[in-house]
Amino acid sequence: MRKVSVTVETAARTAPAAVIVGIDGPSGTGKSSTSKAVAAKLGLRYLDTGAQYRAITWWMLSNGIDVNDPAAVADAAAKPAIVSGTDPAAPTISVDGADAAGPIRTAEVTAAVSAVSAVPEVRARLTALQRTIAAEAPHGIVVEGRDIGTTVLPDADLKIFLTASEAARAARRSGELGSRSAADIAATQAALAKRDAADSGRKTSPLAKAADAVEVDTTELTLEQVIECVVTLIEDKQGA
């Protein structure tokens, strides 16, 4: 198998069918639901890198760090201990030993995560963590995020970039939040567009499709169809 990167050893990956899969794309394309389901079906581990960025953002907010001050965020980036459980049936995340699965999904964290994520020291710290987790997955792993194929795991065995129209993404995200009113969908679409602009425009590891990624447009597909598509792509790679 290929190395995850020049700095990460992959000796732990001993299973013949081991495969490292990177799934990227903007919010609302179905990355999390697809990645977890695919990993569970194929007996792979699963990592939500976005949860790690949310976790470090939550820690910053909880500890009085000014998230709009890049220097302050950079100085604190190495302090919190972030641990991700990679069982796709029950993924977990903790910060300094405390369960952070609920707190990281608050509106306050959502509003601040792009600013924190743009700080190079934060990205360097979490990228190193993500590479270590991927390298230690004995049978392979599905890693989802926004810069997996381009930065975190540039030598992943398979890279997939999920896309969908802004309208479809807004409708899905509003549904997840329990509202399908026209006003709420419009507000969600505006928020997604703002997050896309921030993630795509940041200088360090912007949201982008890797040149060798397989693009899957999920606009007209059900979740089950997207899962089947990705499973097929992985099985083809494993059998190659």
Side-chain angles (χ1 to χ4, degrees):
M1 302 299 292
R2 291 175 294 174
K3 288 185 178 180
V4 174
S5 77
V6 294
T7 59
V8 178
E9 293 297 330
T10 57
R13 297 170 56 210
T14 57
V19 62
I20 289 182
V21 181
I23 299 184
D24 290 311
S27 299
T29 55
K31 289 195 310 294
S32 294
S33 298
T34 298
S35 298
K36 282 187 285 188
V38 167
K41 274 195 171 189
L42 298 179
L44 305 176
R45 308 309 289 178
Y46 161 74
L47 176 62
D48 176 4
T49 63
Q52 294 179 328
Y53 283 101
R54 284 176 169 273
I56 200 168
T57 300
W58 173 63
W59 184 91
M60 297 278 177
L61 292 168
S62 300
N63 285 273
I65 307 299
D66 182 356
V67 295
N68 294 309
D69 180 350
V73 171
D75 287 343
K79 294 182 179 180
I82 299 172
V83 178
S84 296
T86 58
D87 179 354
T92 59
I93 187 159
S94 65
V95 181
D96 292 341
D99 179 11
I104 66 172
R105 301 298 173 183
T106 63
E108 184 181 21
V109 170
T110 298
V113 68
S114 286
V116 173
S117 299
V119 176
E121 288 81 0
V122 170
R123 301 206 74 82
R125 190 274 171 96
L126 292 184
T127 293
L129 176 60
Q130 292 152 13
R131 287 174 175 167
T132 297
I133 292 171
E136 293 176 348
H139 303 297
I141 190 169
V142 177
V143 183
E144 64 146 306
R146 287 172 168 76
D147 65 341
I148 309 306
T150 55
T151 301
V152 179
L153 302 172
D155 293 323
D157 299 296
L158 177 64
K159 304 172 189 177
I160 297 171
F161 193 85
L162 298 185
T163 65
S165 69
E166 277 194 1
R169 292 163 53 209
R172 290 170 185 168
R173 183 52 53 88
S174 294
E176 291 171 2
L177 298 175
S179 176
R180 294 187 180 277
S181 72
D184 286 341
I185 291 175
T188 298
Q189 185 167 334
L192 289 175
K194 182 178 180 180
R195 176 74 187 274
D196 290 348
D199 289 345
S200 301
R202 65 176 176 244
K203 292 182 179 180
T204 304
S205 300
L207 165 65
K209 175 188 171 185
D212 55 347
V214 178
E215 183 171 323
V216 178
D217 189 331
T218 70
T219 303
E220 302 295 335
L221 301 178
T222 65
L223 176 59
E224 290 71 23
Q225 288 172 325
V226 178
I227 293 169
E228 185 58 34
C229 175
V230 174
V231 165
T232 299
L233 288 170
I234 295 174
E235 289 180 335
D236 287 347
K237 177 62 66 173
Q238 288 175 311

